[in-house]
Each structure stands twice: as C-alpha cells, then as structure tokens.
Amino acid sequence: MPFAPAALTLLIMILDGLLDIIFPSYCVGCNIYITGGKTICEKCFAGIKINSGFFCGRCSARLPVAKKICHPDFPYILGSASSYDDEKIKNLVRLLKFKYIKKSAEPLADLIVRYISATNLEIKNFTVVPIPLSRKRLRERGFNQAELIAAKIAEYFGLPLRTDILLRQKHTKPQSETKTLYERKNNVIGCFVINNSEKLLNGNILLIDDVTTSGATLLAAAEALKLCGARKIIALTAARA
Ligand SMILES: [Zn+2]
Ligand SMILES: [Zn+2]
C-alpha cells in the first residue's frame, strides 16, 4: 500500500488547495472568490427560493401534495425545486453542461434535497433513476450531469440508484436547439429503452434531470418506464423553466 489513509487524505487536501490556486472559483451569484471547489457561496445558495409544492406535468397546475388531481393518467408528477428564472441557477446549469464543471452538480442536487425536505415528500420506497445521455453526448461531456445529481440524492436519502434500467438508444439534438413544442416532442419520442425491466415491476421511481423546459424528455422517459411496469413516477429537477 503506497499511502496510509491519513497520508492520502492529507495529499487530497493539498491537491484541493493547489487546484483552488490554479483554478480559482467565483460564486455564480455574487462573484466573490470561494474556495473548496465550490461554485456558489452559502449566502447566494440560501437565497434561492424553493418551491413549496408540485406540478401537473401535463398542464402545469400547482399540486399542494404529490398527488395527481387534474390529469390522473399522465405518467408522472413534476417536482421542481426552484425556477430557472433565477440567474444563479442558470449559471450553475451552464457551468455544468457547457463548461463541464462537475462540481456544479452539487448545489443543484442540494436544491432538490432541500425541496424534498421542505415538501415532506414521501420517497421511502423509491428508486432513483437519472435521465440518461446518448453515448455520443456522454463521450463529448465525459459525464452525465443528471447522474451526478441523482447519485447525490440517492446517497443523501439512502435510496437505490439505478443507471441500468433507463437507457438512451438514439442520439438526439439538444432540446435547447429545438424550436417548437412539436419539434421537442418529436425529437425525443422513442429515444429511451428499458433494460432489466424485471427490476422495475411495480417499483416507484424518482426520475432525475437537471432542468425541465417543455417536459418532453421527462414524458418520453416516464412513458417508457410506465410501459414496463413502473408504478408511481415523480420527476425531480433542480429547476423548471
Ligand atoms: Zn455568492
Ligand atoms: Zn393537469
């Protein structure tokens, strides 16, 4: 063994310190210099407004608890922690998806954790499933941002994380490059496949993505999961546009 655990911890601390010097980070909200590889300061993070309820994925009606009221047949209930109108969130997502700053997944996951706690969402028997990326996009980005967020949520609440159930079978263009709702829906229809469906039967799913806009991606994924036997699906995102 080359290093004792204590020496290894010390080495990691030194490397972290060096990284802070070589790549200093600034808060996405107030631009102050922050250490520890963080992307947002505590004050700005605490200032993000957390939603108090849920949304119908079909008509966006507000739901006080995670129970379908207006569109009972729609395959998922939407739980978005906050609003994408908040510039701090836009910046966190940009860092994560377009500047490949992995650390930015942490505050986005923390927002969902805060939201789950604030809404008293019952998630005891749920399995955490991230929206997958196509292989091409995964190669380009090097990581799946939804999976990073999902892993943190699963860890925090002690829930199983499964990345082998919902898979992406075709490469689609980014939803941000589509213009109309029709185009968004068409872009993702049939792009998900279910693997190991026996693991899914009657299971409750927390479907995780960073942000939702039209909901077309979540819908395509939720429909595939439902077809293969999922019971309750709650889609959780850090923000909703
Ligand atoms: Zn700040
Ligand atoms: Zn509705």
Side-chain angles (χ1 to χ4, degrees), residues 165-191:
I165 289 179
L166 181 66
L167 308 177
R168 202 143 186 157
Q169 65 174 353
K170 66 173 187 188
H171 180 70
T172 54
K173 63 176 160 183
Q175 286 292 71
S176 53
E177 285 174 22
T178 54
K179 290 188 185 72
T180 61
L181 181 61
Y182 178 77
E183 210 189 323
R184 279 177 180 254
K185 279 190 176 155
N186 260 346
N187 192 34
V188 289
I189 277 177
C191 81

Side-chain angles (χ1 to χ4, degrees), residues 39-146:
T39 48
I40 184 165
C41 76
E42 270 173 44
K43 197 169 162 229
C44 287
F45 181 74
I48 295 173
K49 193 177 169 291
I50 297 287
N51 285 324
S52 57
F54 301 83
F55 303 91
C56 169
R58 174 81 179 81
C59 72
S60 291
R62 283 174 186 274
L63 310 171
V65 290
K67 219 176 180 84
K68 291 173 194 165
I69 299 171
C70 42
H71 291 93
D73 294 332
F74 196 72
Y76 70 88
I77 287 173
L78 176 63
S80 285
S82 57
S83 166
Y84 199 58
D85 291 339
D86 190 320
E87 283 299 321
K88 298 186 283 288
I89 298 195
K90 276 192 188 128
N91 290 338
L92 286 172
V93 172
R94 276 188 210 125
L95 282 185
L96 184 61
K97 281 164 88 166
F98 307 112
K99 303 244 179 209
Y100 310 134
I101 310 277
K102 265 178 155 179
K103 277 270 179 190
S104 218
E106 241 162 73
L108 293 172
D110 288 345
L111 283 177
I112 298 178
V113 167
R114 253 171 76 188
Y115 172 72
I116 290 172
S117 308
T119 53
N120 288 319
L121 183 61
E122 184 54 68
I123 52 168
K124 223 180 3 206
N125 300 313
F126 280 74
T127 297
V128 183
V129 175
I131 291 284
L133 286 185
S134 69
R135 266 191 227 185
K136 181 173 183 282
R137 180 124 328 108
L138 191 59
R139 264 200 312 274
E140 287 165 3
R141 196 174 289 160
F143 60 86
N144 173 4
Q145 77 285 353

